[in-house]
Amino acid sequence: MSLLLFLTSSLIFSCLDSLTEAHSTPLPRRVFTDKEIAVKRSPLPGNHAPVRILLRGEPDSVTAAGQTHLYTYDFQQPRKAPVERRLVWKECTTEDCGYNITVVQERQEADQALVCGTNGRETLCCDVNLSAQSPTCTPSNKLRAIERGIRSFIVKEGEPAALVESAESADLYITNSGSQEYVGIHKFGKNRVGPGMHNKEQHYVGLMLSRGREAPLQDKVFAFYKEKNSGTDLRGDMWLPYVTRVCMADIGGRKNNMQLTWTSQMSARLFCGDPDTRQHFSELVDVAIVQADQWQDTRVYGLFRNEWHMTAVCVYTIEDFDNIFATSAFKGQSKASNKDRSRMCVEDSTTLSAETLKMIAATSEMEDWVKPVNKSGPLLSNHHNYTHIYADSSQHKRNDSHTVLFLTLNNGAIHKVIQTETHTFFTAEYHPFNHRAHVSSIILHPSSRKLYVTTRSELVQLDVENCAQYGDCEECVLARDPYCGWNFTHCSPANDTLQDLTTGNHTICLVPLQTASRYSTEARAPERVKHITLPSNSKYFLSCPMLSKHAEYTWRQGKDTTLCRSKEQECLLLIYSMSAEQVGTHTCESEELGFKKVVMQYELQLESRAAIGRLSSPLVWVCLVAALIKG
Ligand SMILES: *[C@@H]1O[C@H](CO)[C@@H](O)[C@H](O)[C@H]1NC(C)=O
Ligand SMILES: *[C@@H]1O[C@H](CO)[C@@H](O)[C@H](O)[C@H]1NC(C)=O
Ligand SMILES: *[C@@H]1O[C@H](CO)[C@@H](O)[C@H](O)[C@H]1NC(C)=O
Ligand SMILES: *[C@@H]1O[C@H](CO)[C@@H](O)[C@H](O)[C@H]1NC(C)=O
Ligand SMILES: *[C@@H]1O[C@H](CO)[C@@H](O)[C@H](O)[C@H]1NC(C)=O
Ligand SMILES: *[C@@H]1O[C@H](CO)[C@@H](O)[C@H](O)[C@H]1NC(C)=O
Ligand SMILES: *[C@@H]1O[C@H](CO)[C@@H](O)[C@H](O)[C@H]1NC(C)=O
Ligand SMILES: *[C@@H]1O[C@H](CO)[C@@H](O)[C@H](O)[C@H]1NC(C)=O
């Protein structure tokens, strides 16, 4: 009896779940489990998420930098153990080589990387040949200034960083998050520059170089962080989102006056929200950057959270940042009071006047906030708990402007969201894990469309170009997946295929065949027909797979129709007691944006002899229904 109660209550909860979710939160059109799409997985040693995933060369070859080793995986043979190579620290003294890798930055030269390790007291950086049999951290002339400058600085794992190389030297920009001293952007190299003293708690989620402006002197570094709100207003947000920038040419102030401290730093609040509903998002979780050919068009996708368990994505351009930094007043000051303060990058920051340095030291925050591009609201906002964002804007197969966003959820699932100029569309939800998992990173290999997902214990390769799963032309077009299109015989990853990303209008399937019989408002012939014979008075249920979460499913027998309200995987039609009335054809039909088809067709017949092995016990009945609904 208790089992029955349990099953019944779990059934009710599962129904409630799907009802409440359907209200506010868009459902991805399709759900793909690890059984339906190509998922290859490899265990990660050490129970520690990789410091860095490197995709170099071959599409199926991945190098993961762990704390002490490099692991190279060949996903052509996922069962094979990875090639494990311990990193040798050439410079370390014999008894103290316990450095753990914290930074890996690929260099200009193929195979080479700047690698830093920390032993808790100091940081060792050097040059590593990633392809070498025994990768060795070796001092290099070009990196010498970084190596020297960073030695006494403790670099934390996972801090955003960028390496800038010129012909004869190199600079490393890296952030320092937390609430201790010197939180902010640090530069190591020919010049050592860092943040001034402040007592703010800041956590950095992204750092990017912005180059290619008219004058190289104006090249900048942008960083994105959330700052603990130190305001006393109890109703205020706990975290505030910021963008900050420094000039790459900045070498700090004059002797004893902001020496080795940024003189070009400016920061501004990011706004993500909807002014109409007064809904806003203030905790910056992650950023994804899409570099554009024109520097000002480079886009930053910010993933935000708020205290009402909602998440949102807002998009900004570098031009938006530059406009605020060029025109806004400094916070708490009149525009006139800072008029001598240059907002441009200057050739030699050590020549700035004491008066200017005083203004700079007083504040670097702007009064105005940066609003999303074109003053838009969030691209999406919902009740899913997203933890990471990755943006793919590569248009190498399809020549229309769109971005594919991958958003990881805190249960291990991943949403694939299509962003065109005017529409945001949730095309798929992938379940690479068959258990709850905490994703630590995602990265796409753009040309092979393989998404690499890491947790503490696994590295997973997910084929996100899963066109074959969509079916025929109409389904392929309704999917609105930019990685796929109809090639006249299959839903295929090739380019020059039929697709309509903006509206998913399946009537384009008509055109190539030039025959009206392909498309009609009448439902298409059924995909599957099943014949079932049941004893009289027996209970039974007919099931119909609900592949598209955006379609409406209906059971039909003659003129009687029953709409499916469930948002689960299957739509069930319960036959409480088999009788002559139920005999005949039952069809399950789907309709999505005007496209109708018969998904399943059952032919029910009445068995003449007495029932054998029918489902009579209510317990068995509930169990079966529960299993089907849950399954
Ligand atoms: C380095 O990593 C090992 C293995 O995870 C860990 O036990 C050790 O405490 C780490 N050492 C430092 C200095 O972080
Ligand atoms: C890196 O190592 C590979 C394999 O040993 C070697 O072929 C290559 O020349 C090395 N590259 C450099 C720059 O030393
Ligand atoms: C969302 O996920 C993050 C990371 O797993 C977790 O820290 C946070 O508590 C979650 N928030 C909610 C509302 O579940
Ligand atoms: C902003 O609006 C302009 C003009 O309407 C449009 O060309 C541009 O694509 C929009 N930018 C983004 C990122 O949507
Ligand atoms: C489509 O593919 C062909 C051959 O594979 C290639 O030459 C062409 O540039 C591609 N078109 C686009 C828009 O990528
Ligand atoms: C892509 O479209 C643009 C404008 O629609 C056109 O100028 C460009 O040549 C196209 N590129 C390719 C590779 O077809
Ligand atoms: C269409 O795509 C399928 C699967 O990708 C492929 O096997 C087939 O050769 C393609 N047909 C044409 C005409 O390109
Ligand atoms: C699809 O396109 C056809 C032909 O262009 C048009 O008549 C129809 O209204 C469109 N349907 C939708 C749902 O946009």
Side-chain angles (χ1 to χ4, degrees), residues 503-523:
T503 60
N505 191 333
H506 62 90
T507 63
I508 59 170
C509 292
L510 256 177
V511 182
L513 290 158
Q514 292 170 343
T515 150
S517 69
R518 187 79 177 85
Y519 167 73
S520 91
T521 47
E522 285 305 302

PDB file of all heavy atoms in Angstrom, residues 503-523:
ATOM      1  N   THR A 503      11.850  31.816 -38.649  1.00  0.00           N
ATOM      2  CA  THR A 503      10.500  31.428 -38.254  1.00  0.00           C
ATOM      3  C   THR A 503      10.263  29.922 -38.276  1.00  0.00           C
ATOM      4  O   THR A 503       9.249  29.460 -37.782  1.00  0.00           O
ATOM      5  CB  THR A 503       9.440  32.092 -39.164  1.00  0.00           C
ATOM      6  OG1 THR A 503       9.685  31.657 -40.498  1.00  0.00           O
ATOM      7  CG2 THR A 503       9.524  33.603 -39.098  1.00  0.00           C
ATOM      8  N   GLY A 504      11.172  29.154 -38.830  1.00  0.00           N
ATOM      9  CA  GLY A 504      10.961  27.714 -38.907  1.00  0.00           C
ATOM     10  C   GLY A 504       9.765  27.378 -39.789  1.00  0.00           C
ATOM     11  O   GLY A 504       9.001  26.463 -39.483  1.00  0.00           O
ATOM     12  N   ASN A 505       9.601  28.117 -40.866  1.00  0.00           N
ATOM     13  CA  ASN A 505       8.424  27.923 -41.721  1.00  0.00           C
ATOM     14  C   ASN A 505       8.636  26.698 -42.622  1.00  0.00           C
ATOM     15  O   ASN A 505       9.358  26.734 -43.608  1.00  0.00           O
ATOM     16  CB  ASN A 505       8.195  29.181 -42.561  1.00  0.00           C
ATOM     17  CG  ASN A 505       6.855  29.154 -43.265  1.00  0.00           C
ATOM     18  OD1 ASN A 505       6.327  28.078 -43.546  1.00  0.00           O
ATOM     19  ND2 ASN A 505       6.330  30.322 -43.555  1.00  0.00           N
ATOM     20  N   HIS A 506       7.932  25.617 -42.269  1.00  0.00           N
ATOM     21  CA  HIS A 506       8.146  24.341 -42.951  1.00  0.00           C
ATOM     22  C   HIS A 506       7.650  24.332 -44.382  1.00  0.00           C
ATOM     23  O   HIS A 506       7.938  23.403 -45.133  1.00  0.00           O
ATOM     24  CB  HIS A 506       7.458  23.225 -42.171  1.00  0.00           C
ATOM     25  CG  HIS A 506       5.976  23.437 -42.096  1.00  0.00           C
ATOM     26  ND1 HIS A 506       5.127  22.946 -43.040  1.00  0.00           N
ATOM     27  CD2 HIS A 506       5.222  24.130 -41.218  1.00  0.00           C
ATOM     28  CE1 HIS A 506       3.890  23.310 -42.739  1.00  0.00           C
ATOM     29  NE2 HIS A 506       3.930  24.035 -41.637  1.00  0.00           N
ATOM     30  N   THR A 507       6.880  25.360 -44.793  1.00  0.00           N
ATOM     31  CA  THR A 507       6.347  25.343 -46.158  1.00  0.00           C
ATOM     32  C   THR A 507       7.468  25.493 -47.192  1.00  0.00           C
ATOM     33  O   THR A 507       7.251  25.238 -48.366  1.00  0.00           O
ATOM     34  CB  THR A 507       5.286  26.451 -46.385  1.00  0.00           C
ATOM     35  OG1 THR A 507       5.911  27.717 -46.208  1.00  0.00           O
ATOM     36  CG2 THR A 507       4.131  26.309 -45.431  1.00  0.00           C
ATOM     37  N   ILE A 508       8.674  25.853 -46.738  1.00  0.00           N
ATOM     38  CA  ILE A 508       9.774  25.907 -47.705  1.00  0.00           C
ATOM     39  C   ILE A 508      10.097  24.503 -48.218  1.00  0.00           C
ATOM     40  O   ILE A 508      10.746  24.344 -49.237  1.00  0.00           O
ATOM     41  CB  ILE A 508      11.052  26.565 -47.141  1.00  0.00           C
ATOM     42  CG1 ILE A 508      11.576  25.817 -45.922  1.00  0.00           C
ATOM     43  CG2 ILE A 508      10.831  28.027 -46.825  1.00  0.00           C
ATOM     44  CD1 ILE A 508      12.963  26.267 -45.480  1.00  0.00           C
ATOM     45  N   CYS A 509       9.619  23.485 -47.542  1.00  0.00           N
ATOM     46  CA  CYS A 509       9.847  22.109 -48.001  1.00  0.00           C
ATOM     47  C   CYS A 509       9.082  21.827 -49.292  1.00  0.00           C
ATOM     48  O   CYS A 509       9.389  20.894 -50.015  1.00  0.00           O
ATOM     49  CB  CYS A 509       9.421  21.113 -46.928  1.00  0.00           C
ATOM     50  SG  CYS A 509      10.485  21.174 -45.485  1.00  0.00           S
ATOM     51  N   LEU A 510       8.060  22.606 -49.536  1.00  0.00           N
ATOM     52  CA  LEU A 510       7.250  22.471 -50.743  1.00  0.00           C
ATOM     53  C   LEU A 510       8.050  22.746 -51.998  1.00  0.00           C
ATOM     54  O   LEU A 510       7.955  22.054 -52.994  1.00  0.00           O
ATOM     55  CB  LEU A 510       6.170  23.549 -50.707  1.00  0.00           C
ATOM     56  CG  LEU A 510       4.764  23.204 -50.358  1.00  0.00           C
ATOM     57  CD1 LEU A 510       3.952  24.476 -50.332  1.00  0.00           C
ATOM     58  CD2 LEU A 510       4.220  22.253 -51.391  1.00  0.00           C
ATOM     59  N   VAL A 511       8.803  23.813 -51.933  1.00  0.00           N
ATOM     60  CA  VAL A 511       9.404  24.389 -53.124  1.00  0.00           C
ATOM     61  C   VAL A 511      10.277  23.414 -53.920  1.00  0.00           C
ATOM     62  O   VAL A 511      10.038  23.217 -55.103  1.00  0.00           O
ATOM     63  CB  VAL A 511      10.190  25.664 -52.748  1.00  0.00           C
ATOM     64  CG1 VAL A 511      10.773  26.308 -53.981  1.00  0.00           C
ATOM     65  CG2 VAL A 511       9.263  26.616 -52.001  1.00  0.00           C
ATOM     66  N   PRO A 512      11.234  22.758 -53.276  1.00  0.00           N
ATOM     67  CA  PRO A 512      12.143  21.951 -54.074  1.00  0.00           C
ATOM     68  C   PRO A 512      11.445  20.800 -54.779  1.00  0.00           C
ATOM     69  O   PRO A 512      11.869  20.373 -55.843  1.00  0.00           O
ATOM     70  CB  PRO A 512      13.146  21.438 -53.052  1.00  0.00           C
ATOM     71  CG  PRO A 512      12.471  21.558 -51.747  1.00  0.00           C
ATOM     72  CD  PRO A 512      11.598  22.752 -51.859  1.00  0.00           C
ATOM     73  N   LEU A 513      10.373  20.284 -54.187  1.00  0.00           N
ATOM     74  CA  LEU A 513       9.733  19.121 -54.786  1.00  0.00           C
ATOM     75  C   LEU A 513       8.692  19.521 -55.822  1.00  0.00           C
ATOM     76  O   LEU A 513       8.294  18.724 -56.648  1.00  0.00           O
ATOM     77  CB  LEU A 513       9.091  18.281 -53.689  1.00  0.00           C
ATOM     78  CG  LEU A 513      10.170  17.613 -52.845  1.00  0.00           C
ATOM     79  CD1 LEU A 513       9.638  17.239 -51.478  1.00  0.00           C
ATOM     80  CD2 LEU A 513      10.709  16.391 -53.565  1.00  0.00           C
ATOM     81  N   GLN A 514       8.288  20.765 -55.784  1.00  0.00           N
ATOM     82  CA  GLN A 514       7.332  21.308 -56.734  1.00  0.00           C
ATOM     83  C   GLN A 514       6.113  20.425 -56.906  1.00  0.00           C
ATOM     84  O   GLN A 514       5.623  20.188 -57.997  1.00  0.00           O
ATOM     85  CB  GLN A 514       8.003  21.551 -58.085  1.00  0.00           C
ATOM     86  CG  GLN A 514       9.001  22.679 -57.964  1.00  0.00           C
ATOM     87  CD  GLN A 514       9.864  22.813 -59.164  1.00  0.00           C
ATOM     88  OE1 GLN A 514       9.959  21.900 -59.971  1.00  0.00           O
ATOM     89  NE2 GLN A 514      10.495  23.956 -59.307  1.00  0.00           N
ATOM     90  N   THR A 515       5.653  19.924 -55.807  1.00  0.00           N
ATOM     91  CA  THR A 515       4.426  19.146 -55.866  1.00  0.00           C
ATOM     92  C   THR A 515       3.647  19.356 -54.583  1.00  0.00           C
ATOM     93  O   THR A 515       4.208  19.295 -53.501  1.00  0.00           O
ATOM     94  CB  THR A 515       4.688  17.640 -56.093  1.00  0.00           C
ATOM     95  OG1 THR A 515       3.642  16.912 -55.461  1.00  0.00           O
ATOM     96  CG2 THR A 515       6.003  17.208 -55.508  1.00  0.00           C
ATOM     97  N   ALA A 516       2.396  19.641 -54.742  1.00  0.00           N
ATOM     98  CA  ALA A 516       1.580  19.983 -53.590  1.00  0.00           C
ATOM     99  C   ALA A 516       1.324  18.774 -52.700  1.00  0.00           C
ATOM    100  O   ALA A 516       0.924  18.907 -51.562  1.00  0.00           O
ATOM    101  CB  ALA A 516       0.266  20.592 -54.051  1.00  0.00           C
ATOM    102  N   SER A 517       1.561  17.584 -53.206  1.00  0.00           N
ATOM    103  CA  SER A 517       1.251  16.397 -52.411  1.00  0.00           C
ATOM    104  C   SER A 517       2.186  16.264 -51.213  1.00  0.00           C
ATOM    105  O   SER A 517       1.868  15.620 -50.233  1.00  0.00           O
ATOM    106  CB  SER A 517       1.363  15.141 -53.272  1.00  0.00           C
ATOM    107  OG  SER A 517       2.714  14.928 -53.581  1.00  0.00           O
ATOM    108  N   ARG A 518       3.348  16.926 -51.300  1.00  0.00           N
ATOM    109  CA  ARG A 518       4.312  16.822 -50.213  1.00  0.00           C
ATOM    110  C   ARG A 518       3.778  17.514 -48.957  1.00  0.00           C
ATOM    111  O   ARG A 518       4.007  17.097 -47.853  1.00  0.00           O
ATOM    112  CB  ARG A 518       5.620  17.496 -50.655  1.00  0.00           C
ATOM    113  CG  ARG A 518       6.764  17.318 -49.709  1.00  0.00           C
ATOM    114  CD  ARG A 518       7.377  15.943 -49.906  1.00  0.00           C
ATOM    115  NE  ARG A 518       8.537  15.770 -49.054  1.00  0.00           N
ATOM    116  CZ  ARG A 518       8.475  15.365 -47.800  1.00  0.00           C
ATOM    117  NH1 ARG A 518       7.317  15.100 -47.259  1.00  0.00           N
ATOM    118  NH2 ARG A 518       9.563  15.216 -47.087  1.00  0.00           N
ATOM    119  N   TYR A 519       3.080  18.618 -49.182  1.00  0.00           N
ATOM    120  CA  TYR A 519       2.582  19.387 -48.056  1.00  0.00           C
ATOM    121  C   TYR A 519       1.094  19.581 -48.201  1.00  0.00           C
ATOM    122  O   TYR A 519       0.606  20.007 -49.238  1.00  0.00           O
ATOM    123  CB  TYR A 519       3.261  20.759 -48.031  1.00  0.00           C
ATOM    124  CG  TYR A 519       2.597  21.725 -47.107  1.00  0.00           C
ATOM    125  CD1 TYR A 519       2.745  21.573 -45.735  1.00  0.00           C
ATOM    126  CD2 TYR A 519       1.812  22.754 -47.589  1.00  0.00           C
ATOM    127  CE1 TYR A 519       2.131  22.439 -44.868  1.00  0.00           C
ATOM    128  CE2 TYR A 519       1.193  23.626 -46.726  1.00  0.00           C
ATOM    129  CZ  TYR A 519       1.346  23.475 -45.367  1.00  0.00           C
ATOM    130  OH  TYR A 519       0.734  24.334 -44.515  1.00  0.00           O
ATOM    131  N   SER A 520       0.363  19.271 -47.176  1.00  0.00           N
ATOM    132  CA  SER A 520      -1.048  19.582 -47.205  1.00  0.00           C
ATOM    133  C   SER A 520      -1.499  19.787 -45.778  1.00  0.00           C
ATOM    134  O   SER A 520      -0.839  19.363 -44.836  1.00  0.00           O
ATOM    135  CB  SER A 520      -1.826  18.451 -47.878  1.00  0.00           C
ATOM    136  OG  SER A 520      -2.248  17.531 -46.913  1.00  0.00           O
ATOM    137  N   THR A 521      -2.618  20.464 -45.621  1.00  0.00           N
ATOM    138  CA  THR A 521      -3.088  20.723 -44.267  1.00  0.00           C
ATOM    139  C   THR A 521      -3.657  19.443 -43.650  1.00  0.00           C
ATOM    140  O   THR A 521      -3.874  19.367 -42.467  1.00  0.00           O
ATOM    141  CB  THR A 521      -4.153  21.830 -44.266  1.00  0.00           C
ATOM    142  OG1 THR A 521      -5.077  21.530 -45.294  1.00  0.00           O
ATOM    143  CG2 THR A 521      -3.523  23.188 -44.494  1.00  0.00           C
ATOM    144  N   GLU A 522      -3.912  18.438 -44.486  1.00  0.00           N
ATOM    145  CA  GLU A 522      -4.346  17.149 -43.959  1.00  0.00           C
ATOM    146  C   GLU A 522      -3.149  16.447 -43.338  1.00  0.00           C
ATOM    147  O   GLU A 522      -2.017  16.596 -43.795  1.00  0.00           O
ATOM    148  CB  GLU A 522      -4.902  16.278 -45.093  1.00  0.00           C
ATOM    149  CG  GLU A 522      -6.275  16.697 -45.544  1.00  0.00           C
ATOM    150  CD  GLU A 522      -7.277  16.739 -44.402  1.00  0.00           C
ATOM    151  OE1 GLU A 522      -7.463  15.691 -43.753  1.00  0.00           O
ATOM    152  OE2 GLU A 522      -7.850  17.819 -44.149  1.00  0.00           O
ATOM    153  N   ALA A 523      -3.413  15.695 -42.279  1.00  0.00           N
ATOM    154  CA  ALA A 523      -2.322  14.999 -41.622  1.00  0.00           C
ATOM    155  C   ALA A 523      -1.675  13.993 -42.567  1.00  0.00           C
ATOM    156  O   ALA A 523      -2.348  13.366 -43.380  1.00  0.00           O
ATOM    157  CB  ALA A 523      -2.839  14.302 -40.380  1.00  0.00           C
TER     158      ALA A 523
END
